[in-house]
Amino acid sequence: MTRMTAEVGSRGIGLDRDRLTQLLQDYGVYAAIVVLVAVNTALAPHFLSLDNLRVQLFQAVPVLVVALGMGLVIGTEGIDLSVGAVIALASAVIPLYLGYGPWPAVAMGLVGGAVSGLVGGSLVAFGRVQPIVATLALMIGLRGFSVILNGATAKPVNDPAILGLGLDSWLGLPEMAWLAAALLAVVAFVVRRTTFGRQLTAIGDNRAASALAGLPVRRVLVSVYVISGVLAAVAGVLIVGHGGYADPANYGLDYELSAITAVVVGGTPLSGGKVRVLGTAAGALFMQLIEATLIQHNVKSSYEQMIEAVIIVAAVYAARGRAGR
């Protein structure tokens, strides 16, 4: 009787741990955001002001846009390390085509992102190259190519239309934030309501079984990398518009790590088979609030990187713990 009671008790503890892990993975990032906002507001009452909210959104939106594409790639059990270099490429392309007008210049930047994603996705889908290897090679090559295109110095971008994308507001909030919200809604709809979204998560869950079931595995894989490249290029356009110049040597650095962090913290497992779009957005906002909190307290950026590393390990460990049960 005692042994049976102990077994039932241990089973109950296991269930409680499973439930707690699930709650942390599903809602932990939202709770962390609430805690950070509360702490910052208590220490600095102006933290909730509209001006500060605008600043936080300006900083968080590019990472969020990149993370939306990264989430789709990770959903297929892949990774895209080239997104930072795609940002640099988009920033390098824009000045080259501004003579044709702002929108052709923006379009060419997006085309550059799409072509980059096509190359990376083709290496993964048709060349059977590991995603981390394919996109790492692309990251190195694109960064060098972008610097060659733009030259060794940053180039000013003074076109009002492009500057408006990065600086203008509507209803008190940055236009780039409204754009990010629209992209978030589109990606969420694609993941949850379309055949493509179901195919994406099925491939991430079991690629071999998906191929045997007749799913267009290669087409879906190429598509997600193209989408990731285009969204990274969108982020590059926004960064150029906000900064007012093109600097591919410095733009996009470490964005791949920030995007991966946002995706993982938001609850999307690195093992694929699932994409938490809203969680990814919350993860990007959470990481920006971490940075804002540290800056507010004059903490060096090196400590921020250490904290980000700890957050990644904790999020991955929580995901593994849940998967293991």
Side-chain angles (χ1 to χ4, degrees), residues 196-312:
F196 176 80
R198 290 189 288 272
Q199 291 173 341
L200 182 157
T201 52
I203 290 168
D205 188 52
N206 192 321
R207 186 178 302 184
S210 297
L212 291 174
L215 297 184
V217 174
R218 290 177 174 175
R219 186 175 68 195
V220 171
L221 287 175
V222 172
S223 297
V224 295
Y225 283 92
V226 169
I227 294 171
S228 179
V230 171
L231 289 176
V234 170
V237 172
L238 296 177
I239 292 171
V240 170
H242 188 65
Y245 58 92
D247 186 10
N250 295 298
Y251 280 172
L253 294 175
D254 295 333
Y255 263 70
E256 57 280 345
L257 302 181
S258 298
I260 293 169
T261 304
V263 172
V264 173
V265 169
T268 298
L270 288 173
S271 56
K274 182 179 180 181
V275 181
R276 294 183 60 85
V277 180
L278 187 59
T280 295
L285 181 58
F286 171 69
M287 298 309 298
Q288 173 56 33
L289 289 174
I290 288 284
E291 181 179 352
T293 302
L294 296 176
I295 290 175
Q296 182 174 308
H297 294 86
N298 298 317
V299 178
K300 295 180 179 179
S301 60
S302 54
Y303 289 101
E304 176 193 342
Q305 294 170 337
M306 294 170 62
I307 292 173
E308 185 172 339
V310 171
I311 291 172
I312 293 174

Side-chain angles (χ1 to χ4, degrees), residues 54-106:
R54 284 164 47 85
V55 170
Q56 301 308 320
L57 288 175
F58 275 127
Q59 297 295 326
V61 162
V63 173
L64 166 57
V65 172
V66 175
L68 290 175
M70 184 69 75
L72 297 180
V73 173
I74 290 177
T76 64
E77 201 181 3
I79 202 79
D80 189 355
L81 298 181
S82 69
V83 290
V86 172
I87 290 175
L89 177 64
S91 73
V93 166
I94 287 175
L96 297 178
Y97 291 92
L98 266 181
Y100 298 96
W103 304 121
V106 169

Side-chain angles (χ1 to χ4, degrees), residues 132-148:
I132 192 170
V133 176
T135 58
L136 177 63
L138 198 59
M139 175 187 75
I140 297 170
L142 284 179
R143 178 71 64 177
F145 180 64
S146 301
V147 173
I148 291 172

